[in-house]
Amino acid sequence: DWKKANAIAIKEWLLKLIDLSSKKTIPGRLNHLDVWIISRTQKNIKNAELNYELTKFRSALQYGFYNIMNDIKWYIRRSEDLGEGYLYALESAIKMLSPVAPHVAEECWHLIGNKSFVSINSFPEYDEKKINEEVEVLEEFLINTIDDVKNIINIVNKKPQKINLFVAPKWKYGF
C-alpha cells in the first residue's frame, strides 16, 4: 500500500530524525519532563517489540518510531534544554528504526555521539520500573487542557485577551 505521498511523508519523518539527532543535550539533567518521556518510551518499547515479534512491522514502527517522535516533539515544545530523557527516547527510536532503515539509523546513531554501530547494539529493553503513571497522567492533563483551550478559541472564533483556568481540588483527580 505504498503511495508517493506516503513515501514523501516518511522522508520528512526521517529528515526530522536526522535534525533531532544533531541537537545538543545536557548530560545528567533529569526533570519531570525527562521522567515523562522515559516512561512513555518504555511503553512504546514494549509494544514495538511485541509487534516486531508478530512481524507486524507497520505497528512496530508506529510504536517504536512515530509515537516516540511525537513525544519528542512535545518534549521540545515544553523544554528549553534537552536532557537525559530526550537522549534516551532518541536512542531508543533509532535502535527500533534500525531493522527497517539501517542507513539512516546508523547516521543518526553517530550524530548523537556514539562510536559503535547501532546495528550491533541490542534492541531497547522494556523496564517496568521506569514507568511513572502519575507523571504521564499529569502531562496528559496539560496536553488535553491546551487542546481544549484551542478548541474553545476555534469555536468562539475570536482571540481572547485573557484565559482563566479553574483547577479542581486535588481529591477530585485521585493523587
Side-chain angles (χ1 to χ4, degrees):
D1 187 27
W2 284 95
K3 297 177 184 156
K4 184 176 180 180
N6 292 350
I8 291 169
I10 291 169
K11 174 187 167 193
E12 294 302 317
W13 279 96
L14 294 175
L15 289 172
K16 182 67 175 169
L17 178 65
I18 292 168
D19 179 55
L20 293 172
S21 299
S22 302
K23 295 187 179 295
K24 300 294 178 215
T25 59
I26 299 174
R29 201 222 58 195
L30 189 70
N31 66 19
H32 72 282
L33 208 51
D34 293 290
V35 173
W36 170 80
I37 200 166
I38 289 169
S39 182
R40 297 267 302 174
T41 300
Q42 285 303 309
K43 291 178 179 179
N44 284 309
I45 289 169
K46 181 179 181 179
N47 288 315
E49 184 174 21
L50 173 68
N51 281 284
Y52 269 128
E53 288 172 359
L54 296 172
T55 64
K56 294 182 177 182
F57 299 115
R58 183 176 280 189
S59 296
L61 282 173
Q62 182 64 47
Y63 289 109
F65 180 66
Y66 294 109
N67 287 0
I68 293 174
M69 291 290 287
N70 284 328
D71 289 343
I72 289 172
K73 181 179 173 184
W74 175 256
Y75 177 100
I76 290 171
R77 181 176 172 196
R78 292 257 297 122
S79 180
E80 293 178 14
D81 300 315
L82 306 176
E84 292 290 326
Y86 172 85
L87 185 59
Y88 179 80
L90 192 60
E91 283 184 343
S92 298
I94 292 168
K95 286 179 178 181
M96 291 187 279
L97 181 67
S98 180
V100 293
H103 299 91
V104 173
E106 290 297 347
E107 182 65 27
C108 293
W109 191 249
H110 290 284
L111 282 172
I112 60 175
N114 292 302
K115 303 293 183 213
S116 65
F117 294 104
V118 69
S119 57
I120 62 171
N121 280 267
S122 60
F123 197 84
E125 289 193 31
Y126 172 71
D127 184 355
E128 191 174 353
K129 290 181 234 153
K130 292 181 180 176
I131 301 288
N132 188 320
E133 294 292 346
E134 184 175 345
V135 170
E136 285 191 51
V137 167
L138 292 173
E139 200 64 29
E140 189 68 28
F141 180 74
L142 178 62
I143 291 167
N144 291 338
T145 301
I146 290 170
D147 285 344
D148 289 347
V149 169
K150 284 180 181 177
N151 288 335
I152 291 169
I153 290 170
N154 286 337
I155 290 169
V156 174
N157 201 21
K158 187 177 177 184
K159 185 175 180 179
Q161 293 177 339
K162 179 177 155 181
I163 297 172
N164 293 314
L165 298 176
F166 298 91
V167 180
K170 193 174 184 176
W171 66 268
K172 287 195 175 191
Y173 50 89
F175 294 127

